[in-house]
């Protein structure tokens, strides 16, 4: 058991007042009537206590006690507030505390069960196994110990069970405790077995150590060798229920309460479970006194599992169940039997076996009657043989199902209860081998309830099993059932808290009306997590427009929810996507991966899960919950990368469509857009993604065109019609398309044309839309379609100027011209304030910056569909946008200041500083370069490291500077000199500028100074103090040692570490940032500043006056409809299946999987050998019976004695 489980399983120490109500609710029993024990000469009561230990009230009524011959717990004892409860610490054991509680034998079991669950925080049991028998000091057989360790405890741990025994350190109770301890140490299973001891209070050794009327937190308990009649508690148990019936040293006082508690638990059903908690009684060995408990339990229809061969009562029960049958009734009408009386021959057989097992029993007739009553309920009794072929957990499952069939008279399928138990225990192996082996005809109704149980309790293997065996997810998942799944999300999880927050908002708007989570809250949660990557989910369910505000949507939703909510009966349009989102929001990795495998559009779905998980991890405050979210998000990103890699290797042209296709599943989202929002850098680093981005970057021009050709064509535009620049020809494109076209097949034929550029994408989209319209109009008639041909001079012009690379080159060239103009103004043509200036060149500079401002306004507030505040926050998230704001703000401030004579110099200084900011903007421009881009990323990381270095350097600078100034000069009131000597001069020391004449008083210092305070206050240079010169020199040496050697080497080491660390992933980071730059220049107007003003005016006219929609608003998006969309989805699904097959083969080839398969085969062989051993033993016993019968027969004379086994073994050894 790992550390986390130990912490969870540890008992939380609670203050006394938290349980101070227990004595008022729970009682103990005290003997109130002394009934003399005839064997004690009047010194002991029949309750087991001595006469002196009884209160005076119990000894007072001598007449009443004289006529009482038998002591009864109910009549002769009374209840008083319990005085023993709390936590138990076993001295010297070094283990967690256990719980204990002393209670009356007549206590209501519901109260005790609530205490165990609510206050002791014991886990919800999926099974309760009550082990009885084998008590006392008799030695437990070794094979019985092995059954408990390898059978019972292992099966209980796999199901998350409670094991109830006596909890005493003797017999079976001790063996079970040791088995639980050993299995907990060696197993890493998340399910924990909870051992609970129910023991009689009077049998507990050193029980007075537990007594404290105010509760013990904890009570120290010393385990000692107990005297006869008592036994110590076992320290391997989690909780103890010490049942007090008023006796001391007497067994059996807890039997009644234990039976009532087990019966109560068997009628409890947890919140999300589909069945009651199963309770199984297990009999090992046992004494005659346990017959009554067995009889009472069977009358309550409680199932029993008897361990054959363990001795005592277990052997008797297994013998009569397996070997005793009713005598056949004569065909000629034998003697009529009295109605209800047992068969006399049956009674004789049972009497014989009872006498053989318990020959010293005095009241044999009464015992036989009880055994007969047990035999009549033998359908509830199952016999387990240790050498049997079935596993112990499989046997337990069958026993419980058999018992449930006895209690439930009518059921649609006798295997439904067995399936529910298998789901509850999460034993998919049992379900596959026993229930889904092809012999049972499962219907949808049989699997529906178990499917819900598997989903709610996160059992994806069962979900897959149900889907593979006839459950149709389309019929199963309705919107109402989906709301129920969301309502089952834990309120303490991050998604649960967010859903409750949205639910409270709706409740407040609904005047406090109680509501449960609806799909409207789920829609709001997904909208906050996904942002504008896709359209809102589930709004169409409530007939709410996706563009409507939240207030309008809430009014519509409230109206719908007040009605009959007919939408809940509708089936989900995309059930696997709905389940995928539900699983991802709860960070259920296996379930989410299963739903992803079943869902379409696998690349986009994996990226969507990555986006949701990373947004949730940002909101999560607990590290333990945040790390699994990040790991699962990374796993989904890798899965998207690997599936896309499979697609790209199969057909590159189709994989490009996959990246830019608008998804009907995800509300018009694209893979590129989702990957960008999810910060999926590893996905962007794929060669296929970069290849598409390069094609979009170059447009219709050939990749690798020299930059000087582009620049020359921009200067001389008519060159675009020459052969200086190579463009992709339509004929070549068609030829490539025909070469790259896939062979016709059932899954991937006729997927469309190859996409080479964004212009091709838009043209492709328009062609398909028009062709679909014509197809609808002609209704299948053959009609030729030709797109409108664009003139050559127009198309070539657009091919050049609409390419992002052209816009980039133009912006770079013009930005260098801007910096040249800026420097010329500052250095050559910066005139005085009006009326003398500014110069014409400066006015040109002002207009140039004005065009920058116009472009920033367009980029921030015009592009996109978000609200003003959201767009502003999104704009400021980019570091380079902050640079732009700073540069423009400084320029405006400097411009305002330079217009006035009193602030002219200040304005010039601001403009000079602003020039530095504009120049640093070049770093972002050249981030597109393949060599410079990664280096820029490394530079940014090193700048962050430098800040930490400056912090340490500042500490040493201030420490040395202040001490040095104080030691050299006794008094210097000049702030200017103090500042220079405290900060500036020590900083120069690092670079070797050390004024030795000033620091070392032994050197001659040619400086006019004075010791006159009046002159010093007037600004005269003070003379040096020579009294501490030796200390000044030592401080200088130490300062140079620390800064020049220690700190500088620390900085170098930090930079080296950062470089080596970032260099590995710098290419990935650069490829991710490259997408942002391509998107930025693709969305920009064609002309660069200052000519961009013409493009802005053109856009203003087209958008506001002519109402022409922008083709770049939904950039990098391809709308596929009808057959094209279906074919692409089928092709992607086919590639995903290939990927999953390869991954499955890789897993099967690992050593761990091979070891599992070999282990399974060995277990199968071992099981078959055990079955063969059982058959051989049966044959041996049958032959032995035949030999005995023949030897005793007088009709056959055998000439020689029969062979013995010892002689056979000896003869074999001789051979």
């Amino acid at each position: 058991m790992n550390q986390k489980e130990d912490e969870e399983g540890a008992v939380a120490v609670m203050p006394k007042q938290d349980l101070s109500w227990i004595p008022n609710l729970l009682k103990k029993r005290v003997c109130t009537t002394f009934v003399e024990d005839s064997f004690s000469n009047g010194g002991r009561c029949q309750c087991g206590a001595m006469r002196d230990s009884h209160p005076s009230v119990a000894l007072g009524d001598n007449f009443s006690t004289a006529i009482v011959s038998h002591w009864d717990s109910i009549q002769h004892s009374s209840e008083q507030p319990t005085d023993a409860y709390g936590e138990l610490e076993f001295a010297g054991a070094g283990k967690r505390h256990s719980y204990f509680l002393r209670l009356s034998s007549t206590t209501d079991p519901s109260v005790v069960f609530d205490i165990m669950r609510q206050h002791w925080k014991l886990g919800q049991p999926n099974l309760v196994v009550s082990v009885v028998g084998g008590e006392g000091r008799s030695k437990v057989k070794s094979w019985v110990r092995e059954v408990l360790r390898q059978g019972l405890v292992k099966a209980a741990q796999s199901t998350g069970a409670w094991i109830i025994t006596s909890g005493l350190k003797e017999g079976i109770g001790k063996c079970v405790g040791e088995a639980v301890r050993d299995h907990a140490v060696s197993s890493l299973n998340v399910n924990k077995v909870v051992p609970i001891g129910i023991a009689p209070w009077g049998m507990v050794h050193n029980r007075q150590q537990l007594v404290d009327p105010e509760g013990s937190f904890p009570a120290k308990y010393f385990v000692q060798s107990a005297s006869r009649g008592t036994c110590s508690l076992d320290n391997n148990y989690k909780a103890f229920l010490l049942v007090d019936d008023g006796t001391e040293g007497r067994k059996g006082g807890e039997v009644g309460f234990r039976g009532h508690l087990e019966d109560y638990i068997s009628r409890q059903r947890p919140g999300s479970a589909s069945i009651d908690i199963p309770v199984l009684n297990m009999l090992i060995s046992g004494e005659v006194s346990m017959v009554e408990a067995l009889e009472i339990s069977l009358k309550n229809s409680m199932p029993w599992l008897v361990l054959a061969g363990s001795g005592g009562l277990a052997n008797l029960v297994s013998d009569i169940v397996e070997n005793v049958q009713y005598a056949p009734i004569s065909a000629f009408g034998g003697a009529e039997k009295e109605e209800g009386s047992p068969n006399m021959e049956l009674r004789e057989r049972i009497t014989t076996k009872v006498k053989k097992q318990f020959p010293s029993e005095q009241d044999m007739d009464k015992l036989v009657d009880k055994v007969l009553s047990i035999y009549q309920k033998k359908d509830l009794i199952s016999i387990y043989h240790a050498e049997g072929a079935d596993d112990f957990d499989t046997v337990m499952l069958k026993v419980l199902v058999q018992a449930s069939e006895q209690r439930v008279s009518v059921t649609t399928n006798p295997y439904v209860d067995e399936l529910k138990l298998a789901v509850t225990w999460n034993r998919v192996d049992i379900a596959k081998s026993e229930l889904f082996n092809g012999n049972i005809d499962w219907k949808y109704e049989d699997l529906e309830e178990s499917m819900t149980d598997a989903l709610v309790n996160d059992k994806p293997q069962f979900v897959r099993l149900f889907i593979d065996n006839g459950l149709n997810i389309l019929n199963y998942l309705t919107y109402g059932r989906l709301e129920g799944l969301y309502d089952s999300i834990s309120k303490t999880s991050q998604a649960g808290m967010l859903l409750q927050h949205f639910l409270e908002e709706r409740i407040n708007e609904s005047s406090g009306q109680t509501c449960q989570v609806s799909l409207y809250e789920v829609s709001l949660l997904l909208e906050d997590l996904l942002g504008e990557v896709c359209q809102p989910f589930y709004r169409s369910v409530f007939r709410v427009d996706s563009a409507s505000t939240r207030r309008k949507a809430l009014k519509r939703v409230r109206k719908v929810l007040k009605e009959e909510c007919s939408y809940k009966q509708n089936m989900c349009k995309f059930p696997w996507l709905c389940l995928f989102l539900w699983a991802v929001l709860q960070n259920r990795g296996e379930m989410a991966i299963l739903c992803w495998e079943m869902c379409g559009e696998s690349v986009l779905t994996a990226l969507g899960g990555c986006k949701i998980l990373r947004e949730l991890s940002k909101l999560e405050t607990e590290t333990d919950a945040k790390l699994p979210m990040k790991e699962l998000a990374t796993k989904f990103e890798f899965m998207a990368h690997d599936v896309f890699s499979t697609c790209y290797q199969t057909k590159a042209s189709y994989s490009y469509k996959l990246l830019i296709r608008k998804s009907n599943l995800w509300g018009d989202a694209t893979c590129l857009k989702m990957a960008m929002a999810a910060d999926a850098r590893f996905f962007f680093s794929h060669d296929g993604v970069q290849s598409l981005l390069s094609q979009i970057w170059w447009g219709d021009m050939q990749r690798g065109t020299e930059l000087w050709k582009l620049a020359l064509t921009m200067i001389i535009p008519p060159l675009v019609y020459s052969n200086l620049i190579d463009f992709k020809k339509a004929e070549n494109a068609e030829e490539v398309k025909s070469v790259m076209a896939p062979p016709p097949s059932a899954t991937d034929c006729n997927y469309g044309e190859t996409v080479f550029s964004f212009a091709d994408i838009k043209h492709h989209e328009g062609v398909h839309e028009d062709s679909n319209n014509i197809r609808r109009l002609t209704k299948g008639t053959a009609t030729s379609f030709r797109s409108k041909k664009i003139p050559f001079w127009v198309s070539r012009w657009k091919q050049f100027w609409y390419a992002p690379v052209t816009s980039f080159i133009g912006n770079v060239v013009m930005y260098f011209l801007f910096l040249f103009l800026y420097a010329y103004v500052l250095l050559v043509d910066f005139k005085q304030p009006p009326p003398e200036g500014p110069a014409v060149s400066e006015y040109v500079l002002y207009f140039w910056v004005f065009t920058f401002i116009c472009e920033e306004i367009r980029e921030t507030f015009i592009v996109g569909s978000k609200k003003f505040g959201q767009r502003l926050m999104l704009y400021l998230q980019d570091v380079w946008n902050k640079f732009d704001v700073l540069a423009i703000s400084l320029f405006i401030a400097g411009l305002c200041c330079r217009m006035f004579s009193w602030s002219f110099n200040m304005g010039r200084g601001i403009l000079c500083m602003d020039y530095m900011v504009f120049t640093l903007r070049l770093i972002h421009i050249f981030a597109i370069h393949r060599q410079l881009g990664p280096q820029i990323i490394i530079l940014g990381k090193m700048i962050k490291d430098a800040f930490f270095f400056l912090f340490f350097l500042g500490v040493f600078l201030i420490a040395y500077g202040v001490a040095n100034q104080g030691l050299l000069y006794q008094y210097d009131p000049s702030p200017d000199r103090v500042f220079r000597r405290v900060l500036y001069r020590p900083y120069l020391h690092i670079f070797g500028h050390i004024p030795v004449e000033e620091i070392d008083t032994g050197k001659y210092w040619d400086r006019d100074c004075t010791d006159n305070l009046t002159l010093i206050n007037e600004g005269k240079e003070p003379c040096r103090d020579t009294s501490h010169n030796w200390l000044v020199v030592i401080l200088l040496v130490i300062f140079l040692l620390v800064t020049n050697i220690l700190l500088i080497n620390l900085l170098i080491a930090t930079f080296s570490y950062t470089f080596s660390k970032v260099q590995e992933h710098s290419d990935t980071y650069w490829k991710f940032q490259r997408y942002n730059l391509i998107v930025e220049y693709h969305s920009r107007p064609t002309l660069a500043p200052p000519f961009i003003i013409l493009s802005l005016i053109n856009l203003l006219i087209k958008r506001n006056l002519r109402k022409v929609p922008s083709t770049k608003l939904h950039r990098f998006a391809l709308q596929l409809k009808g057959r094209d969309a279906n074919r692409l989805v089928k092709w992607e699904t086919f590639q995903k299946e290939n990927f999953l097959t390869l991954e499955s083969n890789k897993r099967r080839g690992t050593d761990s999987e091979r070891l599992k398969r070999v282990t399974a085969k060995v277990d199968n062989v071992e099981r078959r050998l055990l079955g063969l051993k059982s058959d051989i033993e049966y044959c041996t016993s049958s032959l032995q019976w035949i030999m005995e019968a023949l030897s005793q027969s007088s009709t056959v004379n055998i000439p020689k004695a029969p062979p013995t086994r010892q002689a056979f073994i000896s003869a074999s050894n001789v051979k």
Side-chain angles (χ1 to χ4, degrees), residues 121-388:
K121 305 297 182 183
L122 300 184
Q124 179 69 50
N126 295 324
L127 169 68
V128 175
V129 181
S130 178
V131 183
V132 297
E135 305 299 341
R137 301 180 185 274
S138 58
K139 185 177 180 180
V140 181
K141 299 178 181 179
S142 59
W143 68 268
V144 175
R145 294 175 180 269
E146 193 65 22
V147 168
L148 293 175
R149 179 178 291 104
Q150 298 297 333
L152 173 62
V153 176
K154 182 179 179 181
Q157 189 169 34
S158 67
T159 57
W162 287 3
I163 298 182
I164 299 178
T165 69
S166 64
L168 299 176
K169 208 172 185 63
E170 66 174 9
I172 294 299
K174 180 180 179 181
C175 294
V176 171
E178 293 174 349
V180 171
R181 177 199 61 197
D182 296 342
H183 207 275
V185 172
S186 61
S187 175
L188 298 178
N189 200 319
V190 295
N191 293 324
K192 293 171 288 186
V193 179
V194 180
I196 299 174
I198 302 181
W201 169 261
M203 287 288 296
V204 177
H205 184 64
N206 288 339
R207 56 184 174 274
Q208 294 303 321
Q209 298 176 2
L210 310 179
V211 175
D212 187 346
E214 296 182 358
S216 303
F217 302 94
K220 287 193 176 183
Y221 184 76
F222 294 88
V223 179
Q224 300 174 350
S225 56
S227 60
R228 187 173 184 84
T230 61
C231 186
S232 299
L233 298 176
D234 195 318
N235 59 2
N236 294 309
Y237 283 76
K238 184 70 174 294
F240 296 94
L241 299 177
L242 308 178
V243 183
D244 189 3
D245 64 341
T247 63
E248 293 184 10
R250 300 286 192 268
K251 296 182 179 181
E254 82 287 358
V255 173
F257 171 79
R258 181 171 174 174
H260 293 316
L261 178 63
E262 294 166 358
D263 181 64
Y264 175 80
I265 294 176
S266 67
R267 290 182 279 106
Q268 302 305 304
R269 178 173 296 190
S272 60
S274 58
I275 58 173
D276 296 337
I277 299 175
V279 177
L280 175 64
N281 293 276
M282 186 175 179
L283 177 62
I284 302 176
S285 183
E287 303 172 354
V288 180
S289 59
M290 298 179 182
V291 174
E292 183 176 0
L294 178 60
E295 180 187 11
I296 295 174
S297 179
L298 289 173
K299 288 181 180 179
N300 294 329
S301 299
M302 302 293 290
W304 280 79
L305 181 62
V306 179
L307 185 58
S310 58
L313 183 59
N315 287 355
L316 174 62
V317 174
S318 61
D319 190 12
I320 64 173
V321 169
E322 291 183 330
N323 300 324
V324 177
Q325 298 181 356
Y326 285 100
I329 300 177
S330 174
F332 299 99
E336 293 292 328
K337 300 291 186 295
E338 183 181 352
E339 183 179 358
S341 62
N343 190 292
M344 294 304 298
E345 185 177 353
L346 173 65
R347 183 180 181 88
E348 291 178 359
R349 293 181 180 181
I350 290 180
T351 302
T352 302
K353 293 184 178 297
V354 171
K355 288 182 178 180
K356 181 180 178 181
Q357 187 66 39
F358 300 107
S360 61
E361 179 62 25
Q362 298 178 356
D363 195 352
M364 186 62 66
D365 292 336
K366 185 177 180 181
L367 178 60
V368 171
D369 292 337
K370 292 181 179 180
V371 174
L372 275 171
S373 177
I374 293 173
Y375 180 78
Q376 292 174 356
K377 291 284 187 179
K378 68 175 185 177
D379 292 336
L380 294 172
I381 301 176
S382 298
I383 310 301
Y384 177 74
H385 296 274
E387 66 277 5

Side-chain angles (χ1 to χ4, degrees), residues 1127-1192:
R1127 288 168 179 169
L1128 187 60
V1129 171
K1130 289 180 181 179
W1131 178 76
E1132 181 185 5
T1133 304
F1134 181 71
Q1135 302 306 322
K1136 177 188 67 177
E1137 292 174 355
N1138 291 339
F1139 163 74
L1140 293 176
T1141 302
L1142 292 174
E1143 290 297 315
S1144 178
N1145 293 335
K1146 288 180 182 179
R1147 286 195 298 268
R1148 289 179 59 85
T1150 58
D1151 295 339
S1152 59
E1153 290 296 327
R1154 291 176 182 173
L1155 183 60
K1156 287 181 181 179
R1157 292 196 296 271
V1158 171
T1159 304
K1161 292 179 181 178
V1162 171
D1163 292 341
N1164 189 25
V1165 171
E1166 183 181 2
R1167 193 176 294 109
R1168 291 185 178 183
L1169 290 176
L1170 289 175
L1172 181 61
K1173 178 182 177 183
S1174 177
D1175 295 339
I1176 293 175
E1177 290 179 353
Y1178 172 73
C1179 294
T1180 303
S1181 61
S1182 299
L1183 291 174
Q1184 185 177 1
W1185 179 82
I1186 293 174
M1187 291 171 60
E1188 291 178 355
L1190 291 176
S1191 64
Q1192 295 175 3

